[in-house]
Amino acid sequence: MSIETPIAPHVDPVPPGSAEFSALVAKIAAGAEHRAAHDLNAHEQIDWIRQARLGAITLPAADGGPGVSVRALLSLVIDLAEADPNVAHILRAHFWQVNEILRALPPGPQRQHWVAEIRAGKLFGNASSERGDRAAGTLSFATGLTRAGDGFRLNGEKFYSTGTLFSDWIGVSAQLDLNTVAAVLVPIDRAGVTVVDDWDGIGQTRTGTGTTTFEDVVVEEHEVLDVRVNDGSARGANDVALLQLYLQAIIAGILRNAAEDAARLVRGRTRSFQHAPTASPADDPILHAEVGRITSAAYVAEAAVLAAADEIDAAYRSERLGEPDPALFTAASLAASKVKVHVDEVGLRAANALFEVGGASAASRSRNLDRHWRNIRTLTLHNPTSYKAAAVGDVFINSTPLPVNGYF
């Protein structure tokens, strides 16, 4: 079947940092607390993202995009996460998939087709992880892709399909044969595709992180992006560091919001304890110190994320020049790992400290202040902090290479 490139009016993405972008973020933030309190999906807000063409901001100029840096992308993610961490998280797989398309496809009709989809505002979801006894990070899947006529058929079940509920296309990892894995894209509304909103986590509850099943789903030739042999060889240029650091960018945005909530709590309190240093909570130096720690945690988390983003940008520059430097990609992964170890710890501590400034009323369900802790705690569980810390320590003590999988 020939590739039909969609025809859509050309609209440039809303530039990050612009007045238009600030207005979009403010509009998303306006209803975020209500959505969180009532466990509502942000379908309308994701449609605003489509209309703003934010999903195209990382396309390079040669492909008709602005080609923003990783630093600029993660700064945008922090802004979105401050407004609504679910919205920021929903887009994680999309930006990874855009990079995968650009890396896998040479100039030609297939690349032009997918670039046109991105420029039209289409969004990509994720269907990679599976439940079962396979070790997390293993490049091996129960989901299978089989040849059928001039195309393929896809069968299997995925979980942790973050963003897929809100997507136009689903990026799927599937086993082609014993040692070969294929990356494919299928539309969310194709026959045989079922997306179930069954994620029941304590935090990040409305990210569409649930089950996606594929029952004899037709896959066209041009929807197969990449085929790779899992032979244990060293990994080349990749987006693992970006995928991992993206989660800490979300935490940094949540901490900004938590800091604002902390200051608002103190300003809004009209009474204190008899044994407090001051009658007015707003004048209490103990509460000043607590808010200062939360605000400082937010600042340092953001600074750490953006510093590590510069390391990823350096690795990507080497790739764009045609000579991807493995040492730079390793440095980027190490930087992202160190940020995770630190930000996970200070983020949870800061989200817990929020209750220290609010008194007993801070525990009221109507305030929903526990959402910050629940969201951060859920984000930290994407890969265990203790394993990351141990790997970083082993690098520094024994010069042991970092593990080679999707978590490093």
Side-chain angles (χ1 to χ4, degrees):
M1 180 178 292
S2 63
I3 299 174
E4 295 183 4
T5 300
I7 299 174
H10 173 63
V11 177
D12 289 329
V14 168
S18 66
E20 289 175 282
F21 177 72
S22 296
L24 173 62
V25 171
K27 190 163 68 163
I28 291 170
E33 286 191 32
H34 176 79
R35 290 191 297 276
H38 295 86
D39 209 25
L40 302 175
N41 282 320
H43 285 291
E44 183 179 20
Q45 289 67 35
I46 296 300
D47 280 341
W48 298 341
I49 299 285
R50 283 188 180 87
Q51 293 160 17
R53 303 296 199 267
L54 281 188
I57 62 170
T58 57
L59 282 178
D63 289 299
V68 304
S69 65
V70 174
R71 171 180 271 264
L73 170 63
L74 292 186
S75 181
L76 173 150
V77 171
I78 292 169
D79 289 342
L80 284 176
E82 181 183 9
D84 186 332
N86 286 321
V87 169
H89 200 173
I90 285 164
L91 299 174
R92 177 175 176 243
H94 170 83
F95 289 113
W96 164 68
Q97 191 62 69
V98 170
N99 282 1
E100 290 291 291
I101 289 169
L102 297 175
R103 181 175 291 119
L105 302 179
Q110 188 182 17
R111 182 186 177 102
Q112 291 170 5
H113 169 82
W114 292 114
V115 166
E117 287 288 273
I118 296 165
R119 293 184 69 197
K122 299 296 180 64
L123 297 176
F124 298 96
N126 146 67
S128 182
S129 298
E130 297 175 349
R131 286 168 159 167
D133 57 4
R134 288 176 171 83
T138 302
L139 195 63
S140 175
F141 303 98
T143 298
L145 185 70
T146 56
R147 175 69 73 173
D150 60 353
F152 300 85
R153 293 293 186 274
L154 180 67
N155 287 277
E157 181 178 294
K158 301 287 188 175
F159 196 63
Y160 302 119
S161 305
T162 304
T164 294
L165 184 70
F166 306 87
S167 69
D168 302 290
W169 292 90
I170 310 172
V172 189
S173 299
Q175 205 73 30
L176 192 58
D177 59 37
L178 183 61
N179 297 312
T180 310
V181 172
V184 306
L185 290 170
V186 295
I188 193 170
D189 57 356
R190 181 161 291 170
V193 176
T194 303
V195 180
V196 183
D197 193 9
D198 58 349
W199 168 241
D200 63 350
I202 61 170
Q204 296 300 108
T205 58
R206 295 292 100 201
T207 55
T209 305
T211 302
T212 306
T213 59
F214 305 93
E215 297 181 39
D216 208 30
V217 175
V218 172
V219 178
E220 303 291 345
E221 191 77 43
H222 73 277
E223 293 168 344
V224 179
L225 295 186
D226 191 23
V227 175
R228 62 194 69 178
V229 177
N230 183 20
D231 58 3
S233 59
R235 185 175 59 207
N238 65 85
D239 299 303
V240 174
L242 173 59
L243 274 170
Q244 297 306 315
L245 189 62
Y246 194 108
L247 298 173
Q248 273 59 58
I250 300 173
I251 293 175
I254 294 170
L255 288 174
R256 273 194 197 166
N257 199 342
E260 290 291 338
D261 276 350
R264 189 181 305 114
L265 269 174
V266 175
R267 285 194 299 265
R269 287 177 59 181
T270 57
R271 66 172 186 157
S272 190
F273 292 89
Q274 186 182 35
H275 51 284
T278 63
S280 169
D283 297 326
D284 188 332
I286 293 175
L287 299 183
H288 292 172
E290 288 291 352
V291 174
R293 290 188 184 97
I294 298 170
T295 303
S296 299
Y299 178 86
V300 173
E302 180 172 351
V305 166
L306 297 181
D310 289 338
E311 302 259 14
I312 301 173
D313 274 323
Y316 284 175
R317 276 194 296 274
S318 75
E319 183 182 13
R320 287 196 300 273
L321 292 172
E323 297 181 358
D325 187 338
L328 291 177
F329 279 92
T330 296
S333 290
L334 185 59
S337 296
K338 288 187 284 188
V339 172
K340 174 184 170 59
V341 171
H342 178 70
V343 170
D344 283 7
E345 180 179 348
V346 300
L348 288 169
R349 190 187 309 138
N352 184 60
L354 178 58
F355 294 93
E356 299 297 330
V357 306
S361 63
S364 170
R365 286 189 180 276
S366 65
R367 290 182 180 268
N368 201 27
L369 293 175
D370 62 311
R371 73 186 188 281
H372 299 307
W373 186 92
R374 289 185 291 103
N375 286 331
I376 293 173
R377 177 74 273 194
T378 301
L379 288 161
T380 65
L381 295 175
H382 278 68
N383 49 85
T385 311
S386 55
Y387 285 170
K388 274 287 172 80
V392 171
D394 202 11
V395 169
F396 276 76
I397 296 169
N398 300 311
S399 298
T400 304
L402 286 173
V404 180
N405 61 49
Y407 296 98
F408 290 90

